[in-house]
Amino acid sequence: MDSMPSIIVTLNKAVIRQLQLPQGDLSIGRRPTHALVLEDAAVSADHASIFTVGQDSFLKDLDSTNGTYINKRRMRKHHLKPGDEITIGKYTLLYQDQDQDLVPATPQPATFGDAALFVLTGFNSGKRIELTSTVTHLGMAGQSAAFLSRTGDRYTLMVGTDGTHVSHNGKAVAAGGQLLASGDIIEVGDTRLQFYQP
């Protein structure tokens, strides 16, 4: 079976998302309704789209203000080839025709001083969550499935009160919480996350 084309989204050389391209249209822009939302003032509300049919993907600029660049050249339309770098605002999208070539989910960003969580599976798969607050809640909005407590540069995973299954590296979390190390896997319900700390 043929593997599906995919893109890796990077910002300041740090991987923030990786996704398979669906058949049909993938919309890109600053508007939150897009399939790929890029939060940057240089990105238009409706910036570009990638249309995929079979193993072929075609990029189209949607008359954006600042343009879409393929390998540093501004283009309105382009038939994507493996290794093409799409630049939209501050973001770089690397196009690949095989999903098994995806880079590991734990990048080594030099530009972020804070720890982060990478969503490996679930609704927000591929998303990066910056851990800049003293307490970061995990789970559905309005519910407390689990939370991370920050003390200095140490992060502790605590189980919340809503009864959702929470585990740390495949094991139950101790009553007093679990101190996290970079690379640890956290499961909250059917969502898997990886903790990263530079």
Side-chain angles (χ1 to χ4, degrees):
M1 179 179 155
D2 287 337
S3 56
M4 299 301 297
S6 60
I7 55 173
I8 297 174
V9 185
T10 62
L11 176 63
N12 299 329
K13 298 185 179 176
V15 176
I16 58 167
R17 189 162 182 198
Q18 37 198 17
L19 68 160
Q20 259 188 4
L21 292 173
Q23 293 294 300
D25 227 7
L26 175 93
S27 59
I28 303 169
R30 209 172 65 240
R31 199 190 303 277
T33 52
H34 286 300
L36 178 57
V37 179
L38 301 178
E39 296 172 1
D40 176 17
V43 178
S44 295
D46 305 303
H47 198 103
S49 69
I50 298 175
F51 184 79
T52 301
V53 54
Q55 292 291 102
D56 292 305
S57 298
F58 303 86
L59 182 127
K60 180 181 180 184
D61 181 83
L62 302 176
D63 297 319
S64 64
T65 304
N66 294 307
T68 302
Y69 292 79
I70 309 288
N71 303 326
K72 299 186 168 55
R73 292 179 58 200
R74 186 167 180 163
M75 295 195 177
R76 290 180 56 80
K77 291 183 180 178
H78 181 70
H79 182 185
L80 291 167
K81 298 175 184 60
D84 276 351
E85 286 193 354
I86 306 159
T87 304
I88 297 176
K90 294 186 294 188
Y91 294 86
T92 300
L93 286 57
L94 177 65
Y95 175 76
Q96 302 181 138
D97 65 348
Q98 295 183 342
D99 53 18
Q100 69 258 32
D101 288 338
L102 288 177
V103 298
T106 306
Q108 303 297 324
T111 51
F112 292 94
D114 289 298
L117 285 174
F118 291 91
V119 185
L120 303 179
T121 63
F123 179 69
N124 288 312
S125 180
K127 187 176 179 182
R128 177 189 178 112
I129 302 168
E130 296 294 327
L131 301 176
T132 54
S133 304
T134 307
V135 176
T136 302
H137 290 276
L138 305 176
M140 302 295 285
Q143 298 177 342
S144 180
F147 58 93
L148 296 186
S149 173
R150 176 180 181 174
T151 306
D153 61 353
R154 293 158 70 91
Y155 291 82
T156 304
L157 171 66
M158 309 285 283
V159 178
T161 55
D162 75 350
T164 301
H165 168 74
V166 178
S167 71
H168 168 261
N169 292 337
K171 297 177 182 174
V173 180
Q178 175 64 51
L179 192 65
L180 294 177
S182 191
D184 282 358
I185 300 294
I186 302 166
E187 292 188 53
V188 180
D190 57 2
T191 300
R192 293 180 77 229
L193 308 105
Q194 186 169 30
F195 176 73
Y196 170 79
Q197 189 169 21

